[in-house]
PDB file of all heavy atoms in Angstrom:
ATOM      1  N   ALA A   1      29.977  23.027  14.391  1.00 94.00           N
ATOM      2  CA  ALA A   1      29.491  22.908  15.761  1.00 94.00           C
ATOM      3  C   ALA A   1      29.031  24.268  16.283  1.00 94.00           C
ATOM      4  O   ALA A   1      29.623  25.303  15.963  1.00 94.00           O
ATOM      5  CB  ALA A   1      30.593  22.354  16.657  1.00 94.00           C
ATOM      6  N   ILE A   2      27.962  24.281  17.059  1.00 95.00           N
ATOM      7  CA  ILE A   2      27.440  25.507  17.667  1.00 95.00           C
ATOM      8  C   ILE A   2      27.879  25.508  19.129  1.00 95.00           C
ATOM      9  O   ILE A   2      27.456  24.658  19.909  1.00 95.00           O
ATOM     10  CB  ILE A   2      25.910  25.583  17.546  1.00 95.00           C
ATOM     11  CG1 ILE A   2      25.495  25.486  16.073  1.00 95.00           C
ATOM     12  CG2 ILE A   2      25.385  26.868  18.167  1.00 95.00           C
ATOM     13  CD1 ILE A   2      23.997  25.488  15.846  1.00 95.00           C
ATOM     14  N   ARG A   3      28.743  26.469  19.486  1.00 94.00           N
ATOM     15  CA  ARG A   3      29.314  26.508  20.830  1.00 94.00           C
ATOM     16  C   ARG A   3      29.139  27.901  21.427  1.00 94.00           C
ATOM     17  O   ARG A   3      29.067  28.888  20.697  1.00 94.00           O
ATOM     18  CB  ARG A   3      30.813  26.196  20.800  1.00 94.00           C
ATOM     19  CG  ARG A   3      31.260  25.049  19.936  1.00 94.00           C
ATOM     20  CD  ARG A   3      32.787  24.996  19.935  1.00 94.00           C
ATOM     21  NE  ARG A   3      33.323  24.103  18.922  1.00 94.00           N
ATOM     22  CZ  ARG A   3      33.562  22.814  19.111  1.00 94.00           C
ATOM     23  NH1 ARG A   3      33.280  22.269  20.286  1.00 94.00           N
ATOM     24  NH2 ARG A   3      34.070  22.063  18.157  1.00 94.00           N
ATOM     25  N   GLN A   4      29.148  27.971  22.743  1.00 94.00           N
ATOM     26  CA  GLN A   4      29.173  29.268  23.401  1.00 94.00           C
ATOM     27  C   GLN A   4      30.604  29.816  23.380  1.00 94.00           C
ATOM     28  O   GLN A   4      31.543  29.143  23.808  1.00 94.00           O
ATOM     29  CB  GLN A   4      28.667  29.161  24.826  1.00 94.00           C
ATOM     30  CG  GLN A   4      27.156  29.176  24.936  1.00 94.00           C
ATOM     31  CD  GLN A   4      26.664  29.634  26.289  1.00 94.00           C
ATOM     32  OE1 GLN A   4      27.206  29.253  27.310  1.00 94.00           O
ATOM     33  NE2 GLN A   4      25.626  30.459  26.304  1.00 94.00           N
ATOM     34  N   LYS A   5      30.727  31.041  22.860  1.00 94.00           N
ATOM     35  CA  LYS A   5      32.030  31.683  22.750  1.00 94.00           C
ATOM     36  C   LYS A   5      31.884  33.158  23.103  1.00 94.00           C
ATOM     37  O   LYS A   5      30.783  33.731  23.005  1.00 94.00           O
ATOM     38  CB  LYS A   5      32.584  31.558  21.319  1.00 94.00           C
ATOM     39  CG  LYS A   5      32.904  30.151  20.870  1.00 94.00           C
ATOM     40  CD  LYS A   5      33.494  30.158  19.468  1.00 94.00           C
ATOM     41  CE  LYS A   5      33.858  28.759  19.007  1.00 94.00           C
ATOM     42  NZ  LYS A   5      34.448  28.764  17.641  1.00 94.00           N
ATOM     43  N   PRO A   6      32.982  33.797  23.463  1.00 95.00           N
ATOM     44  CA  PRO A   6      32.920  35.250  23.671  1.00 95.00           C
ATOM     45  C   PRO A   6      32.714  35.960  22.345  1.00 95.00           C
ATOM     46  O   PRO A   6      33.364  35.648  21.348  1.00 95.00           O
ATOM     47  CB  PRO A   6      34.290  35.568  24.288  1.00 95.00           C
ATOM     48  CG  PRO A   6      35.180  34.444  23.882  1.00 95.00           C
ATOM     49  CD  PRO A   6      34.312  33.236  23.785  1.00 95.00           C
ATOM     50  N   TRP A   7      31.792  36.938  22.336  1.00 94.00           N
ATOM     51  CA  TRP A   7      31.422  37.633  21.096  1.00 94.00           C
ATOM     52  C   TRP A   7      31.167  39.093  21.443  1.00 94.00           C
ATOM     53  O   TRP A   7      30.551  39.394  22.475  1.00 94.00           O
ATOM     54  CB  TRP A   7      30.161  36.990  20.518  1.00 94.00           C
ATOM     55  CG  TRP A   7      29.847  37.361  19.092  1.00 94.00           C
ATOM     56  CD1 TRP A   7      29.000  38.339  18.666  1.00 94.00           C
ATOM     57  CD2 TRP A   7      30.360  36.748  17.910  1.00 94.00           C
ATOM     58  NE1 TRP A   7      28.944  38.376  17.305  1.00 94.00           N
ATOM     59  CE2 TRP A   7      29.780  37.399  16.812  1.00 94.00           C
ATOM     60  CE3 TRP A   7      31.263  35.713  17.685  1.00 94.00           C
ATOM     61  CZ2 TRP A   7      30.057  37.056  15.492  1.00 94.00           C
ATOM     62  CZ3 TRP A   7      31.544  35.353  16.376  1.00 94.00           C
ATOM     63  CH2 TRP A   7      30.952  36.011  15.295  1.00 94.00           C
ATOM     64  N   VAL A   8      31.621  39.970  20.599  1.00 92.00           N
ATOM     65  CA  VAL A   8      31.437  41.394  20.863  1.00 92.00           C
ATOM     66  C   VAL A   8      30.059  41.829  20.376  1.00 92.00           C
ATOM     67  O   VAL A   8      29.723  41.712  19.200  1.00 92.00           O
ATOM     68  CB  VAL A   8      32.524  42.232  20.175  1.00 92.00           C
ATOM     69  CG1 VAL A   8      32.271  43.724  20.416  1.00 92.00           C
ATOM     70  CG2 VAL A   8      33.916  41.830  20.671  1.00 92.00           C
ATOM     71  N   VAL A   9      29.229  42.333  21.326  1.00 89.00           N
ATOM     72  CA  VAL A   9      27.892  42.816  21.027  1.00 89.00           C
ATOM     73  C   VAL A   9      27.762  44.233  21.586  1.00 89.00           C
ATOM     74  O   VAL A   9      27.886  44.440  22.802  1.00 89.00           O
ATOM     75  CB  VAL A   9      26.810  41.903  21.648  1.00 89.00           C
ATOM     76  CG1 VAL A   9      25.416  42.435  21.309  1.00 89.00           C
ATOM     77  CG2 VAL A   9      26.982  40.468  21.179  1.00 89.00           C
ATOM     78  N   ASP A  10      27.527  45.203  20.695  1.00 87.00           N
ATOM     79  CA  ASP A  10      27.387  46.606  21.112  1.00 87.00           C
ATOM     80  C   ASP A  10      28.588  47.059  21.947  1.00 87.00           C
ATOM     81  O   ASP A  10      28.435  47.733  22.983  1.00 87.00           O
ATOM     82  CB  ASP A  10      26.095  46.810  21.906  1.00 87.00           C
ATOM     83  CG  ASP A  10      24.849  46.515  21.071  1.00 87.00           C
ATOM     84  OD1 ASP A  10      24.917  46.715  19.846  1.00 87.00           O
ATOM     85  OD2 ASP A  10      23.839  46.083  21.644  1.00 87.00           O
ATOM     86  N   GLY A  11      29.761  46.647  21.525  1.00 90.00           N
ATOM     87  CA  GLY A  11      30.976  47.093  22.193  1.00 90.00           C
ATOM     88  C   GLY A  11      31.323  46.339  23.457  1.00 90.00           C
ATOM     89  O   GLY A  11      32.319  46.665  24.108  1.00 90.00           O
ATOM     90  N   GLU A  12      30.529  45.320  23.795  1.00 92.00           N
ATOM     91  CA  GLU A  12      30.798  44.534  24.998  1.00 92.00           C
ATOM     92  C   GLU A  12      30.982  43.060  24.631  1.00 92.00           C
ATOM     93  O   GLU A  12      30.331  42.549  23.716  1.00 92.00           O
ATOM     94  CB  GLU A  12      29.642  44.656  25.998  1.00 92.00           C
ATOM     95  CG  GLU A  12      29.430  46.061  26.535  1.00 92.00           C
ATOM     96  CD  GLU A  12      28.292  46.123  27.539  1.00 92.00           C
ATOM     97  OE1 GLU A  12      27.648  45.060  27.739  1.00 92.00           O
ATOM     98  OE2 GLU A  12      28.047  47.196  28.102  1.00 92.00           O
ATOM     99  N   VAL A  13      31.869  42.398  25.361  1.00 94.00           N
ATOM    100  CA  VAL A  13      32.098  40.976  25.144  1.00 94.00           C
ATOM    101  C   VAL A  13      31.067  40.179  25.939  1.00 94.00           C
ATOM    102  O   VAL A  13      30.969  40.318  27.158  1.00 94.00           O
ATOM    103  CB  VAL A  13      33.528  40.574  25.559  1.00 94.00           C
ATOM    104  CG1 VAL A  13      33.722  39.071  25.382  1.00 94.00           C
ATOM    105  CG2 VAL A  13      34.553  41.353  24.753  1.00 94.00           C
ATOM    106  N   ARG A  14      30.310  39.364  25.223  1.00 93.00           N
ATOM    107  CA  ARG A  14      29.265  38.573  25.855  1.00 93.00           C
ATOM    108  C   ARG A  14      29.346  37.127  25.377  1.00 93.00           C
ATOM    109  O   ARG A  14      29.832  36.863  24.278  1.00 93.00           O
ATOM    110  CB  ARG A  14      27.873  39.124  25.501  1.00 93.00           C
ATOM    111  CG  ARG A  14      27.649  40.570  25.899  1.00 93.00           C
ATOM    112  CD  ARG A  14      26.279  41.028  25.456  1.00 93.00           C
ATOM    113  NE  ARG A  14      26.063  42.446  25.705  1.00 93.00           N
ATOM    114  CZ  ARG A  14      24.984  43.119  25.324  1.00 93.00           C
ATOM    115  NH1 ARG A  14      24.018  42.477  24.669  1.00 93.00           N
ATOM    116  NH2 ARG A  14      24.859  44.416  25.590  1.00 93.00           N
ATOM    117  N   PRO A  15      28.853  36.183  26.182  1.00 94.00           N
ATOM    118  CA  PRO A  15      28.795  34.795  25.705  1.00 94.00           C
ATOM    119  C   PRO A  15      27.649  34.640  24.701  1.00 94.00           C
ATOM    120  O   PRO A  15      26.506  35.024  24.984  1.00 94.00           O
ATOM    121  CB  PRO A  15      28.527  33.991  26.988  1.00 94.00           C
ATOM    122  CG  PRO A  15      27.851  34.951  27.909  1.00 94.00           C
ATOM    123  CD  PRO A  15      28.412  36.301  27.585  1.00 94.00           C
ATOM    124  N   ARG A  16      27.956  34.109  23.537  1.00 95.00           N
ATOM    125  CA  ARG A  16      26.950  33.908  22.490  1.00 95.00           C
ATOM    126  C   ARG A  16      27.134  32.515  21.889  1.00 95.00           C
ATOM    127  O   ARG A  16      28.206  31.906  21.975  1.00 95.00           O
ATOM    128  CB  ARG A  16      27.093  34.959  21.373  1.00 95.00           C
ATOM    129  CG  ARG A  16      27.064  36.392  21.857  1.00 95.00           C
ATOM    130  CD  ARG A  16      25.683  36.815  22.281  1.00 95.00           C
ATOM    131  NE  ARG A  16      24.807  37.085  21.142  1.00 95.00           N
ATOM    132  CZ  ARG A  16      23.564  37.542  21.250  1.00 95.00           C
ATOM    133  NH1 ARG A  16      23.041  37.754  22.467  1.00 95.00           N
ATOM    134  NH2 ARG A  16      22.836  37.782  20.190  1.00 95.00           N
ATOM    135  N   TRP A  17      26.069  32.014  21.276  1.00 95.00           N
ATOM    136  CA  TRP A  17      26.150  30.750  20.549  1.00 95.00           C
ATOM    137  C   TRP A  17      26.718  31.036  19.164  1.00 95.00           C
ATOM    138  O   TRP A  17      26.102  31.744  18.364  1.00 95.00           O
ATOM    139  CB  TRP A  17      24.776  30.102  20.436  1.00 95.00           C
ATOM    140  CG  TRP A  17      24.249  29.582  21.739  1.00 95.00           C
ATOM    141  CD1 TRP A  17      23.312  30.156  22.543  1.00 95.00           C
ATOM    142  CD2 TRP A  17      24.654  28.385  22.391  1.00 95.00           C
ATOM    143  NE1 TRP A  17      23.096  29.404  23.666  1.00 95.00           N
ATOM    144  CE2 TRP A  17      23.916  28.290  23.607  1.00 95.00           C
ATOM    145  CE3 TRP A  17      25.567  27.375  22.101  1.00 95.00           C
ATOM    146  CZ2 TRP A  17      24.058  27.242  24.497  1.00 95.00           C
ATOM    147  CZ3 TRP A  17      25.708  26.315  22.989  1.00 95.00           C
ATOM    148  CH2 TRP A  17      24.964  26.252  24.168  1.00 95.00           C
ATOM    149  N   VAL A  18      27.889  30.486  18.883  1.00 96.00           N
ATOM    150  CA  VAL A  18      28.607  30.810  17.644  1.00 96.00           C
ATOM    151  C   VAL A  18      28.837  29.534  16.833  1.00 96.00           C
ATOM    152  O   VAL A  18      29.148  28.472  17.381  1.00 96.00           O
ATOM    153  CB  VAL A  18      29.963  31.472  17.959  1.00 96.00           C
ATOM    154  CG1 VAL A  18      30.739  31.762  16.665  1.00 96.00           C
ATOM    155  CG2 VAL A  18      29.741  32.765  18.747  1.00 96.00           C
ATOM    156  N   THR A  19      28.681  29.642  15.528  1.00 96.00           N
ATOM    157  CA  THR A  19      28.959  28.533  14.623  1.00 96.00           C
ATOM    158  C   THR A  19      29.706  29.059  13.403  1.00 96.00           C
ATOM    159  O   THR A  19      29.848  30.272  13.218  1.00 96.00           O
ATOM    160  CB  THR A  19      27.663  27.823  14.184  1.00 96.00           C
ATOM    161  OG1 THR A  19      27.983  26.638  13.458  1.00 96.00           O
ATOM    162  CG2 THR A  19      26.806  28.720  13.291  1.00 96.00           C
ATOM    163  N   THR A  20      30.169  28.146  12.579  1.00 96.00           N
ATOM    164  CA  THR A  20      30.832  28.503  11.327  1.00 96.00           C
ATOM    165  C   THR A  20      30.089  27.845  10.175  1.00 96.00           C
ATOM    166  O   THR A  20      29.798  26.643  10.216  1.00 96.00           O
ATOM    167  CB  THR A  20      32.299  28.040  11.316  1.00 96.00           C
ATOM    168  OG1 THR A  20      32.992  28.642  12.405  1.00 96.00           O
ATOM    169  CG2 THR A  20      32.992  28.433  10.013  1.00 96.00           C
ATOM    170  N   VAL A  21      29.774  28.634   9.160  1.00 96.00           N
ATOM    171  CA  VAL A  21      29.166  28.119   7.936  1.00 96.00           C
ATOM    172  C   VAL A  21      30.234  28.135   6.852  1.00 96.00           C
ATOM    173  O   VAL A  21      30.824  29.182   6.574  1.00 96.00           O
ATOM    174  CB  VAL A  21      27.955  28.969   7.504  1.00 96.00           C
ATOM    175  CG1 VAL A  21      27.401  28.468   6.175  1.00 96.00           C
ATOM    176  CG2 VAL A  21      26.878  28.942   8.571  1.00 96.00           C
ATOM    177  N   SER A  22      30.512  26.987   6.272  1.00 95.00           N
ATOM    178  CA  SER A  22      31.513  26.894   5.212  1.00 95.00           C
ATOM    179  C   SER A  22      30.906  26.178   4.024  1.00 95.00           C
ATOM    180  O   SER A  22      29.897  25.471   4.146  1.00 95.00           O
ATOM    181  CB  SER A  22      32.762  26.152   5.707  1.00 95.00           C
ATOM    182  OG  SER A  22      32.424  24.888   6.248  1.00 95.00           O
ATOM    183  N   GLY A  23      31.520  26.345   2.877  1.00 94.00           N
ATOM    184  CA  GLY A  23      30.975  25.693   1.689  1.00 94.00           C
ATOM    185  C   GLY A  23      31.971  25.634   0.557  1.00 94.00           C
ATOM    186  O   GLY A  23      32.947  26.390   0.520  1.00 94.00           O
ATOM    187  N   SER A  24      31.741  24.685  -0.361  1.00 94.00           N
ATOM    188  CA  SER A  24      32.550  24.544  -1.573  1.00 94.00           C
ATOM    189  C   SER A  24      31.631  24.659  -2.783  1.00 94.00           C
ATOM    190  O   SER A  24      30.486  24.186  -2.756  1.00 94.00           O
ATOM    191  CB  SER A  24      33.270  23.192  -1.585  1.00 94.00           C
ATOM    192  OG  SER A  24      34.158  23.069  -0.503  1.00 94.00           O
ATOM    193  N   PHE A  25      32.160  25.260  -3.851  1.00 93.00           N
ATOM    194  CA  PHE A  25      31.347  25.537  -5.027  1.00 93.00           C
ATOM    195  C   PHE A  25      32.157  25.306  -6.301  1.00 93.00           C
ATOM    196  O   PHE A  25      33.385  25.413  -6.295  1.00 93.00           O
ATOM    197  CB  PHE A  25      30.823  26.977  -4.989  1.00 93.00           C
ATOM    198  CG  PHE A  25      30.001  27.271  -3.765  1.00 93.00           C
ATOM    199  CD1 PHE A  25      30.612  27.680  -2.585  1.00 93.00           C
ATOM    200  CD2 PHE A  25      28.630  27.098  -3.784  1.00 93.00           C
ATOM    201  CE1 PHE A  25      29.878  27.930  -1.443  1.00 93.00           C
ATOM    202  CE2 PHE A  25      27.883  27.338  -2.641  1.00 93.00           C
ATOM    203  CZ  PHE A  25      28.499  27.759  -1.472  1.00 93.00           C
ATOM    204  N   ASP A  26      31.455  25.009  -7.379  1.00 91.00           N
ATOM    205  CA  ASP A  26      32.063  24.790  -8.693  1.00 91.00           C
ATOM    206  C   ASP A  26      32.328  26.147  -9.335  1.00 91.00           C
ATOM    207  O   ASP A  26      31.396  26.856  -9.729  1.00 91.00           O
ATOM    208  CB  ASP A  26      31.112  23.954  -9.558  1.00 91.00           C
ATOM    209  CG  ASP A  26      31.743  23.522 -10.870  1.00 91.00           C
ATOM    210  OD1 ASP A  26      32.735  24.143 -11.293  1.00 91.00           O
ATOM    211  OD2 ASP A  26      31.226  22.561 -11.479  1.00 91.00           O
ATOM    212  N   HIS A  27      33.611  26.496  -9.436  1.00 90.00           N
ATOM    213  CA  HIS A  27      33.987  27.829  -9.934  1.00 90.00           C
ATOM    214  C   HIS A  27      33.690  27.993 -11.419  1.00 90.00           C
ATOM    215  O   HIS A  27      33.731  29.123 -11.938  1.00 90.00           O
ATOM    216  CB  HIS A  27      35.471  28.081  -9.661  1.00 90.00           C
ATOM    217  CG  HIS A  27      35.785  29.501  -9.337  1.00 90.00           C
ATOM    218  ND1 HIS A  27      35.098  30.567  -9.883  1.00 90.00           N
ATOM    219  CD2 HIS A  27      36.717  30.054  -8.519  1.00 90.00           C
ATOM    220  CE1 HIS A  27      35.595  31.709  -9.420  1.00 90.00           C
ATOM    221  NE2 HIS A  27      36.579  31.415  -8.590  1.00 90.00           N
TER     222      HIS A  27
END
């Protein structure tokens, strides 16, 4: 999911659109 979250940008906390990319692979 892409959500607005607090994110540190140039030393300041700002609201940004944040998501998580995950994956599974054949080792």
Side-chain angles (χ1 to χ4, degrees):
I2 303 177
R3 316 174 192 270
Q4 278 204 318
K5 295 182 179 181
W7 194 264
V8 177
V9 180
D10 297 330
E12 296 181 357
V13 177
R14 302 178 185 175
R16 306 287 284 184
W17 290 102
V18 178
T19 188
T20 301
V21 176
S22 54
S24 298
F25 302 86
D26 188 340
H27 215 327

